[in-house]
Amino acid sequence: MDSTREAQKMDQAAGLEEFTAEQLAEVDAIIERNKNKSGSLIPVLEDIQEAVGYLPKSIQERVAKGLGVPFSEVYGVVTFYHFFTMVPRGRHTVRCCLGTACYVRGGQNALNKIESILSIKPGETTADREFSLETVRCLGACGLAPTMVIDNETFPQIKPAKLPEIFTRFQKSDE
């Protein structure tokens, strides 16, 4: 029992208190399975991100120590590749297009309204981890501009006045 409490205290000191013991055990198992494999850093980070949702510095430090590589190497990989994230992701990803066609047809106004509704900026996640907001340069739907995608559902010709209804409907459809 004392060793469990001691491990919890160490995890808290390392900034890992937001993760469950099961998540940390999975992180450690992933590291253990790969620690002697050459070139395993990216696959390890991918597996860990899949297991816990994102790669904060505390998890990166655990990976560096477990694989015996410098923290700077782990951090460099995480910040170089766009598919890694250091912030928690929402259950839903909102992508607002700001490509030329969407921008000209009011994409920035739509983005401003989305930011207001969700109380976040692009690259952030709502406090309840429901939504993450991203901007993209093109969704390939220029004829439907301005366009927004939530997960895999496309919303064409979005109008700021209709956005609250879209988010309300979207949240209710998942409950």
Side-chain angles (χ1 to χ4, degrees), residues 34-111:
N34 293 281
K35 71 179 182 181
N36 295 319
K37 295 180 184 174
S38 178
S40 66
L41 180 57
I42 292 175
V44 165
L45 292 171
E46 288 174 325
D47 289 349
I48 291 173
Q49 182 166 284
E50 180 70 27
V52 299
Y54 68 112
L55 301 168
K57 286 184 180 178
S58 57
I59 292 289
Q60 293 176 50
E61 289 168 351
R62 198 174 187 109
V63 169
K65 183 177 179 184
L67 294 180
V69 298
F71 170 76
S72 60
E73 184 177 339
V74 176
Y75 182 80
V77 168
V78 170
T79 57
F80 180 79
Y81 292 103
H82 76 279
F83 50 84
F84 291 128
T85 181
M86 290 175 50
V87 295
R89 304 297 298 157
R91 193 165 62 110
H92 305 291
T93 301
V94 179
R95 291 181 179 90
C96 184
C97 184
L98 291 181
T100 303
C102 287
Y103 188 86
V104 169
R105 292 184 181 159
Q108 184 64 52
N109 293 334
L111 176 61

Side-chain angles (χ1 to χ4, degrees), residues 150-163:
I150 299 177
D151 297 334
N152 293 318
E153 188 174 347
T154 301
F155 295 88
Q157 300 171 334
I158 53 174
K159 305 277 188 255
K162 295 287 185 182
L163 287 167

